């Protein structure tokens, strides 16, 4: 008890020290090289209406921060769900079938490093026929395709790592293919799958900002870009902090879920 | 009458980077129905290889395995396997692990009947209290008990056990040996156990099959163990014949296992049939091994 209280104090002190250092550096920057950069106090001044009334809706872009975050999260949720729905089966096929892996592994390796900024125009072209929905669909496509890879790769690794002993149990019991898949392979792969899911969520959140900036769809990303155009530079910093914080919270949440499956 | 399980001219060759490695060569063994066989031999000689071929988990390179009149080509629930490590699925409870097989084998029974079968075998092995725990919450001995319950609950024709008690302390080991004998006697199974433990082999088996060292391991000798059943540990330990048998096995492991056998089979296996390989061929093998 004593020891844990002590480490808690030490950790908090270290965190505060880090924050103070960053603040100091920020103030120093705005006082010397980057004269246009708002100080922490000025940043708080511009951000205040968005924080204090987080659910306000004053106009299309002028909305409380929680509303903006909500729009972004909703789009991320859809794109992420798509990524998991498509990525998990592909991962399973890559892990199960040597032939499939031989054909598609090189393609995965080539598509994986492509930036979201490059996918987005392609996405919009793909969905041109959907008219007013093209922007939204293009953004979804981009989130899904960029966020998919960690799920694909981790699932494939997980399937290849299923201990032969577990599969032997299935063979001795003469389980059918579906039963082996559902009762043995999927549970055995879950820890790997969830590592993939967590990494994928991180990427989906990373992509949302780019997608919103380019498509102008309302959310934190487009808010940041608009405020840059409006020369409200304080809100750029405010948006960055918000995006970082949300990303951090999402990652923590997924870690908790992932941890559940790791203990199995 | 033909044997219940017949291993004839069994060969197993593994491809290795240094070329094919023949681990088991010309392994012959007929087994009666209801017989309890122990397979002993040095580590790495190929005991597990033979067992997993009978289980159908590993392909036969040459020769054949006939079980109850049918050739073994794949694994199946007619052979209950108790693995060296218990191999329980960690995401299922002990009960669910047993149910996995029970659901499969007794698919015509009602849900309640199936539950009762699983519960029966779990309580026979002493897991009545702990059956709803996950493997991680069970001790090593309890996991092994669960593995035994899973194999027995399939009501298999044949039981295959690969060093099932190797990792257990002596007390647990003796208790589980008795559980095993009890179940074997009750259900009149045919059983084959792989073990390192000479005392275990004598206590459990009707015949102890000694394997020569690999590569190209084969049956070196067979010892018939004639103690009456049910066996009593204490009486066994007072019987000079027990020490003779023990001495015989240890002598084989220390001295004779390094040589392939001369073409004579020591004890007479039930159907005193000539091994299909033929005396001359076996002699040539013995000659080549020298
Ligand atoms: N898949 C494989 N590929 C190549 N060699 C193998 C393979 N499996 C087993 N072997 C070899 O076959 C031999 C026999 O192995 P096996 O596991 O049957 O021995 P064992 O008698 O069961 O030993 P232990 O008592 O230590 O369990 C060993 O020399 C091993 O290296
Ligand atoms: Mg072995």
């Amino acid at each position: 008890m004593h020891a844990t209280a002590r480490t808690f104090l030490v950790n908090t002190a270290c965190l505060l020290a880090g924050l103070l250092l960053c603040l100091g550096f920020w103030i120093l920057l705005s006082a010397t090289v980057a004269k246009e950069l708002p100080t922490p106090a000025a940043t708080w001044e511009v951000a205040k209406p968005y924080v204090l009334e987080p659910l306000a809706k004053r106009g299309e872009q002028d909305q409380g921060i929680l509303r903006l975050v909500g729009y972004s999260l909703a789009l991320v949720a859809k794109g992420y769900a798509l990524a998991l729905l498509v990525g998990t089966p592909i991962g399973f096929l890559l892990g199960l079938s040597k032939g499939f892996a031989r054909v598609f592994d090189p393609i995965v390796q080539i598509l994986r490093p492509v930036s979201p900024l490059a996918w987005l125009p392609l996405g919009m072209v793909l969905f041109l026929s959907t008219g007013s929905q093209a922007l939204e669909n293009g953004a979804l496509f981009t989130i899904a395709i960029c966020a998919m890879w960690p799920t694909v790769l981790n699932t494939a690794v997980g399937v290849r790592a299923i201990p032969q002993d577990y599969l032997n149990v299935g063979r001795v019991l003469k389980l059918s293919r579906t039963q082996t898949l559902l009762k043995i392979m999927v549970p055995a792969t879950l820890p790997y799958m969830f590592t993939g899911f967590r990494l994928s969520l991180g990427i989906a959140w990373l992509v949302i900002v780019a997608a919103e900036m380019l498509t102008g769809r309302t959310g934190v990303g487009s808010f940041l870009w608009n405020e840059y155009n409006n020369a409200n530079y304080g809100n750029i910093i405010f948006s960055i902090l918000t995006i970082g914080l949300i990303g951090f919270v999402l990652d923590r949440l997924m870690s908790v879920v992932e941890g559940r499956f790791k203990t199995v | 009458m033909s044997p219940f399980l017949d291993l004839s001219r069994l060969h197993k060759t593994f491809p290795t980077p240094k070329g094919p490695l023949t681990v088991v060569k010309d392994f012959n063994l007929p087994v009666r129905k209801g017989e309890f066989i122990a397979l002993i031999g040095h580590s790495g000689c190929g005991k597990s290889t033979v067992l997993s071929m009978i289980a159908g988990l590993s392909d036969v390179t040459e020769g054949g395995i006939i079980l109850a009149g049918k050739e073994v080509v794949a694994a199946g629930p007619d052979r209950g396997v108790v693995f060296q490590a218990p191999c329980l699925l960690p995401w299922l409870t002990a009960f669910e692990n047993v149910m996995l097989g029970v659901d499969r084998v007794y698919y015509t029974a009602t849900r309640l009947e199936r539950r009762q079968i699983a519960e029966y075998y779990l309580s026979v092995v002493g897991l009545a209290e702990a059956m709803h725990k996950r493997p991680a919450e069970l001790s090593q001995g309890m996991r092994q008990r669960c593995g035994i319950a899973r194999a027995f609950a399939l009501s298999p024709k044949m039981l295959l056990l690969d060093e099932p008690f190797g990792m257990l302390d002596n007390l647990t080991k003796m208790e589980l040996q008795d559980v095993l004998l009890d179940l074997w006697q009750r259900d009149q199974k045919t059983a084959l156990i792989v073990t390192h433990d000479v005392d275990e082999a004598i206590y459990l088996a009707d015949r102890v099959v000694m394997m020569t060292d690999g590569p190209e391991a084969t049956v070196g000798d067979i010892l018939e163990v004639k103690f009456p059943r049910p066996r009593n540990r204490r009486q066994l330990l007072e019987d000079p014949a027990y020490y003779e048998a023990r001495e015989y096995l240890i002598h084989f492991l220390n001295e004779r296992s390094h040589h392939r056998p001369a073409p004579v089979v020591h004890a007479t296996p039930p159907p005193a049939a000539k091994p299909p390989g033929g005396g001359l061929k076996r002699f040539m093998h013995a000659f080549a091994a020298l």
Side-chain angles (χ1 to χ4, degrees), chain B residues 155-220:
Chain B
S155 160
K157 290 183 202 150
M158 166 120 216
L159 271 175
L160 300 166
L161 308 107
D162 193 352
E163 297 185 39
F165 313 132
M167 289 181 293
L168 304 176
D169 63 280
N170 263 329
L171 220 60
T172 316
K173 189 187 224 175
M174 289 197 278
E175 197 191 329
L176 287 187
Q177 284 168 352
D178 289 330
V179 167
L180 174 63
L181 277 182
D182 195 40
L183 282 168
W184 168 74
Q185 244 147 9
R186 193 177 318 194
D187 296 5
Q188 277 307 304
K189 306 272 183 233
T190 308
L192 186 143
I193 186 172
V194 165
T195 176
H196 273 137
D197 184 339
V198 170
D199 296 297
E200 179 169 271
I202 301 173
Y203 182 58
L204 295 176
D206 296 315
R207 283 193 292 153
V208 182
V209 175
M210 293 158 257
M211 271 180 86
T212 58
D213 293 353
E216 307 197 345
T218 187
V219 177

Side-chain angles (χ1 to χ4, degrees), chain B residues 14-16 21 23 41-50 84 162-163 194 196:
Chain B
F14 286 113
T16 67
L21 172 72
V23 170
H42 283 288
S43 185
C45 71
K47 305 181 294 294
S48 297
T49 306
V50 170
Q84 183 158 4
D162 193 352
E163 297 185 39
V194 165
H196 273 137

Side-chain angles (χ1 to χ4, degrees), chain A residues 165-166 169 171-174 183 187, chain B residues 56-57 75-77 90-91 104:
Chain A
D165 289 346
Y166 295 171
V169 170
R171 286 172 66 191
V172 169
L173 301 180
K174 266 226 151 80
K183 301 232 157 142
Chain B
L57 293 170
W91 52 86
R104 184 75 199 125

Side-chain angles (χ1 to χ4, degrees), chain A residues 6 10 36-37 40 55 62 75 89-90 117 124 126 131 161 169 172-173 181 191 193 196 207 211 221 261:
Chain A
R6 222 183 121 97
V10 171
E36 289 294 327
L37 185 75
L55 294 173
D62 189 9
L75 189 64
I90 294 182
L117 296 174
M124 293 193 280
L126 276 178
V169 170
V172 169
L173 301 180
L181 186 72
M193 273 160 62
V207 172
F261 288 96

